Each structure stands twice: as C-alpha cells, then as structure tokens.
Amino acid sequence: MAHCLRIQQLRPAAPRLHAPNQGQSRCQRCCDQILSLQRAAGNALFAYPYGHTSRYLLEEYWPNFAHEHGTIGAFTCEPALVTPSTSCFEIPRMVLGMDWQTPDELPILGR
C-alpha cells in the first residue's frame, strides 16, 4: 500500500497543492508511480506524504478525476477515528510513534 512506501520513492513530492495544474499532474504522477511499484493491480488507496492535503484535492481533484487516477480512498495523518461522515479522501490514521507508542495508548472503540 502507498503508506508503506518511503517518501523518497514518491517523486516529485508536493508539500501543499492548491491549484488544478499542481494537483492533477503531481498527484497523478505519484499515483502512477505507486501503481508501478505494486505487485497486485487494483489497489486504489493513497496516503498523503506527511499527511498534508488541501481543499482542492479533497473537493475537486479526487472526486472529479476518479476516471483518471482510480483512487477510492486517501489517508491523512489526522489522529482521529473514522465515523460515518468521514470523507473517503480524508481518512484519518493514527501514526505509531507520533500518536501512540503502546497498545494501551491507541484509542479503540469500546474502551
């Protein structure tokens, strides 16, 4: 999956994307590179490098260019739980070491 790849493998890296010409070309190249590194085709999940995203990506690029990139879900580094209202392009994740270090520190439903 994308979040298992080293950041250096995702070239060119874009710290923040705010316009169609930036988002479409850079994200498409990252998605293409991720797909080329995968052994099994059909994995359509993306993890934002360093967890950063932008309103443009969330509201325009991901939903309106799905026919080009094929991505169905994208993960941020926002430490939160997924809820029914969570956007499929802004899925939170809790990063080991940054947000928790032992199983007791990991927030899990029902605790």
Side-chain angles (χ1 to χ4, degrees):
M1 286 177 52
H3 67 278
C4 295
L5 298 174
R6 292 184 179 166
I7 296 302
Q8 294 84 359
Q9 291 177 292
L10 304 176
R11 303 241 189 260
R16 299 237 181 220
L17 305 174
H18 300 285
N21 60 341
Q22 292 178 319
Q24 188 168 358
S25 62
R26 290 181 183 172
C27 286
Q28 187 62 49
R29 283 194 301 258
C30 286
C31 289
D32 289 346
Q33 188 167 4
I34 289 167
L35 288 173
S36 73
L37 295 171
Q38 292 177 343
R39 293 189 179 150
N43 189 350
L45 300 175
F46 183 84
Y48 299 105
Y50 304 104
H52 299 299
T53 187
S54 70
R55 298 298 353 142
Y56 168 74
L57 289 173
L58 296 171
E59 297 169 3
E60 297 293 328
Y61 180 69
W62 294 126
N64 296 324
F65 295 94
H67 61 283
E68 293 178 13
H69 56 69
T71 302
I72 60 169
F75 296 87
T76 69
C77 286
E78 180 67 31
L81 297 174
V82 175
T83 68
S85 63
T86 298
S87 164
C88 61
F89 299 115
E90 198 172 13
I91 303 168
R93 65 180 166 177
M94 295 173 206
V95 179
L96 175 62
M98 185 183 331
D99 302 312
W100 62 283
Q101 299 199 11
T102 67
D104 291 335
E105 295 174 336
L106 182 62
I108 298 176
L109 291 174
R111 278 194 176 179

